[in-house]
Amino acid sequence: GGTPFELWLYTKIGFLGGDEVHENLEAVYWLQTFIHGPFHLGLSATMFHKDKFKSEMQTIIYPKAIRFDKIKMKKYIRQVNLGYRFEDIEKDHIRLSFPRRTTYSQNAFEHSILKNRKVKTNVFKMLNVVFEEFWLNRKENGDKAGFYFSRIDFINEYLAHLKKSYPSLDIRRYVEQDPFENLMDSDVYITTIGSGGTGVDIAGLITVFNFDNVDSIQRNAQLLGRLREKEGKEMIFVQLYATNLKKHIGYKDSRDKLFEDRVLSRADVLYPG
């Protein structure tokens, strides 16, 4: 029946460790407020935030003067910005937000693609071409690839398409309650940034294909971090974006700035289709 602080004293715990401490920021804040442990080690590769209030909360919990953040990150990832164009955004009914909303929504964007058979066919064809170019044509035994989308129904439809196109490959979905083995044991996994883009180390992963355009610096940095250095392997991060959508261009510019100290090289290429 005591307070959290009294429980801490009673158990005589002197060390508290936490991983991915940039997540669940409010819970981390209250934990540190009540516990006041003698020593705490918090781990995070993305201790930054665009939101001023949340950034200030992080600074209160982890003052910058005592952060161990002066080690330069090793650069080993090749970043590929792959641009594509819609023939006619209005005619193809490409939507960037839901009704009565003004902010960009990747969910609305992917939903509009699924609703137009011609556009969906072209997008799936493009994804296959990119898949072959940056993974299939260079893969060796044990090499893996990962696709990231926003909507589960989009994942389901592209999963079926990819399986039909490459029946010899072990291709699986990993969202919601899907088995963790789907992410770890497949040749190719298809998931969301929320499900498979943070805090998981995927052995053999050499190429990430990201169709999800988000403006979160944490999510983008975490997704890039799924690629771990492996001697003799080229790690490739492919970001797809529409060159005739202003939001996508803005998000691309933000990612480029975020990644400039984290990648070995950057290439901007256009899909010819």
Side-chain angles (χ1 to χ4, degrees):
T3 66
F5 181 61
E6 289 170 333
L7 175 63
W8 183 272
L9 294 176
Y10 180 79
T11 55
K12 298 180 180 178
I13 299 172
F15 172 83
L16 177 67
D19 195 10
E20 306 294 353
V21 293
H22 60 276
E23 295 187 334
N24 302 311
L25 185 58
E26 289 79 8
V28 171
Y29 182 89
W30 283 109
L31 182 68
Q32 300 307 319
T33 298
F34 284 109
I35 287 179
H36 292 296
F39 188 83
H40 173 65
L41 177 64
L43 304 176
S44 173
T46 52
M47 186 58 70
F48 40 71
H49 208 286
K50 284 188 174 182
D51 185 290
K52 184 179 178 181
F53 174 71
K54 289 187 176 181
S55 180
E56 289 175 351
M57 287 181 65
Q58 289 177 331
T59 302
I60 292 172
I61 306 170
Y62 305 106
K64 292 183 179 180
I66 61 171
R67 292 185 189 179
F68 191 68
D69 58 359
K70 301 300 184 291
I71 298 176
K72 286 189 176 182
M73 299 182 66
K74 195 170 184 180
K75 299 179 180 181
Y76 56 88
I77 299 172
R78 176 187 170 197
Q79 177 191 354
V80 178
N81 291 323
L82 197 142
Y84 59 92
R85 288 182 59 86
F86 290 100
E87 185 177 349
D88 191 319
I89 293 173
E90 292 298 324
K91 185 178 178 181
D92 291 334
H93 303 289
I94 301 301
R95 298 289 178 258
L96 305 183
S97 62
F98 286 112
R100 296 180 295 279
R101 299 289 180 87
T102 57
T103 56
Y104 174 78
S105 168
Q106 181 72 21
N107 278 333
F109 174 66
E110 291 183 10
H111 180 67
S112 67
I113 292 174
L114 294 180
K115 296 291 286 184
N116 187 317
R117 182 178 296 180
K118 182 195 75 173
V119 173
K120 182 180 74 171
T121 298
N122 288 338
V123 168
F124 283 8
K125 177 184 177 182
M126 174 187 68
L127 290 170
N128 280 19
V129 170
V130 174
F131 174 67
E132 292 180 4
E133 173 69 20
F134 293 101
W135 185 75
L136 190 60
N137 292 341
R138 71 187 189 98
K139 88 173 190 72
E140 297 176 341
N141 188 38
D143 290 342
K144 296 165 62 73
F147 280 93
Y148 290 83
F149 301 100
S150 181
R151 293 181 64 97
I152 293 178
D153 53 357
F154 197 102
I155 288 173
N156 291 339
E157 292 205 32
Y158 185 59
L159 175 68
H161 176 81
L162 201 61
K163 281 186 171 184
K164 185 177 180 180
S165 302
Y166 310 98
S168 64
L169 294 175
D170 181 2
I171 305 171
R172 308 186 202 178
R173 182 191 82 162
Y174 180 69
V175 295
E176 295 181 331
Q177 303 302 315
D178 289 337
F180 191 55
E181 290 76 14
N182 286 8
L183 184 67
M184 305 303 290
D185 298 341
S186 57
D187 296 323
V188 182
Y189 64 84
I190 306 181
T191 185
T192 65
I193 297 177
S195 295
T198 301
V200 289
D201 295 333
I202 305 163
L205 183 64
I206 65 168
T207 308
V208 163
F209 300 96
N210 186 32
F211 191 74
D212 192 353
N213 280 271
V214 295
D215 198 31
S216 166
I217 54 179
Q218 284 87 4
R219 287 198 162 201
N220 283 313
Q222 286 284 336
L223 186 55
L224 184 74
R226 292 316 96 217
L227 290 165
R228 301 303 174 94
E229 185 181 21
K230 187 176 180 180
E231 188 175 353
K233 289 289 182 182
E234 184 180 39
M235 300 294 158
I236 300 179
F237 180 87
V238 181
Q239 175 67 54
L240 295 104
Y241 71 101
T243 59
N244 53 345
L245 292 179
K246 289 184 179 180
K247 278 293 184 182
H248 283 203
I249 294 294
Y251 291 171
K252 171 193 174 297
D253 292 342
S254 295
R255 277 190 303 270
D256 288 348
K257 185 176 181 180
L258 174 65
F259 291 167
E260 63 184 358
D261 293 327
R262 296 168 179 259
V263 298
L264 181 64
S265 66
R266 188 184 81 217
D268 292 276
V269 298
L270 297 176
Y271 175 66

